[in-house]
Amino acid sequence: QSVLTQPPSVSGAPGQRVTISCTGSRSNIGAGYDVNWYQQIPGKGPKVLIYASSNRPSGVPDRFSGSKSGTSASLAITGLQAEDEAHYYCQSFDTRVSESEVFGGGTRLTVL
Amino acid sequence: QLQLQQSGPGLVKPSETLSLTCSVSGDSMISDVYWWGWIRQPPGKGLEWIGSFSSSGITYHNPSLKSRLAVSADTSENQFSLKVNSVTAADTAVYYCARHVYFPGYFDYWGQGALVTVSS
């Protein structure tokens, strides 16, 4: 079981908006640690989409945005495109057992 | 453009040691900002952080792996290595090396990934 909880799957039609949640606790997101988001297209390595909860690296379309509140974070994708079909992972830092980077279990996005 | 190139055997026998190397090109590993890390992904499953280290020698490990783990760096060769001993089938995964922006932080550049299968 992951320390950060994500829905296993979400879906949306082209052009729609979808959100992916990442729920943590007081030992990670709730403690103020940043949340980062990665996209992994099948057969490829992960690519950072959002860092420090709401910042986009250069080259990432502004259709992708991130937010954080309390013990949770969200990734929003607007204007959904077929190429967005991938797995998405959140990542943060946890201090409950040891000081560790932790990933969510991942969410599969299907573009209908 | 930073590039991370991984190398190492793709098949390891149970109870033996898994060894992987990540060669960094395009920038020096020595930095006050950037750390270096390892992440793995069992087939069909999610990402698991293994460990990260700074060029000054500070190291953090996933507590579930810490007792079997060794991470080292050769900054003169601009490469770093991972060793996991006493492997079992549960260690079968795609292993990634990555640049870690600060600790705690995020992974901005990733290696190509290397599938390591533990099997006799």
Side-chain angles (χ1 to χ4, degrees):
Chain A
Q1 258 177 336
S2 303
V3 172
L4 304 177
T5 301
Q6 298 180 234
S9 63
V10 298
S11 63
Q16 284 190 332
R17 178 180 186 270
V18 296
T19 61
I20 298 172
S21 61
C22 176
T23 303
S25 66
R26 288 183 294 176
S27 64
N28 42 68
I29 300 174
Y33 293 108
D34 284 329
V35 179
N36 311 298
W37 291 91
Y38 301 86
Q39 177 191 61
Q40 186 176 33
I41 291 167
K44 302 282 190 181
K47 167 191 167 184
V48 62
L49 281 181
I50 299 289
Y51 67 92
S53 302
S54 60
N55 296 277
R56 276 187 312 276
S58 61
V60 174
D62 60 7
R63 301 186 296 106
F64 296 90
S65 62
S67 62
K68 187 182 84 162
S69 178
T71 58
S72 297
S74 290
L75 172 71
I77 310 172
T78 59
L80 206 56
Q81 299 179 4
E83 67 204 47
D84 298 332
E85 191 159 285
H87 281 88
Y88 293 83
Y89 295 90
C90 61
Q91 175 241 323
S92 187
F93 189 71
D94 187 84
T95 58
R96 187 176 63 86
V97 173
S98 180
E99 293 172 304
S100 302
E101 299 282 15
V102 290
F103 287 92
T107 299
R108 179 177 180 173
L109 168 63
T110 301
V111 180
L112 301 171
Chain B
Q1 176 80 352
L2 189 78
Q3 290 191 329
L4 287 77
Q5 182 71 34
Q6 299 175 224
S7 59
L11 182 64
V12 181
K13 290 183 169 54
S15 80
E16 296 191 346
T17 297
L18 177 160
S19 296
L20 292 170
T21 296
C22 184
S23 298
V24 180
S25 60
D27 199 2
S28 170
M29 283 184 62
I30 300 173
S31 169
D32 291 335
V33 172
Y34 301 118
W35 290 47
W36 306 90
W38 292 94
I39 300 102
R40 71 180 182 179
Q41 184 171 36
K45 296 189 178 181
L47 301 167
E48 179 183 35
W49 174 71
I50 296 172
S52 297
F53 68 96
S54 70
S55 56
S56 63
I58 304 169
T59 303
Y60 287 90
H61 295 131
N62 186 322
S64 69
L65 293 165
K66 187 173 182 177
S67 62
R68 300 192 291 127
L69 211 55
V71 176
S72 61
D74 184 343
T75 53
S76 66
E77 294 290 327
N78 228 38
Q79 62 185 29
F80 58 103
S81 299
L82 170 72
K83 292 186 189 298
V84 181
N85 60 39
S86 304
V87 295
T88 69
D91 294 308
T92 294
V94 175
Y95 285 76
Y96 294 98
C97 61
R99 190 173 76 172
H100 199 165
V101 183
Y102 292 114
F103 186 89
Y106 65 99
F107 302 95
D108 64 344
Y109 283 91
W110 295 64
Q112 80 275 23
L115 174 62
V116 179
T117 302
V118 178
S119 174
S120 54

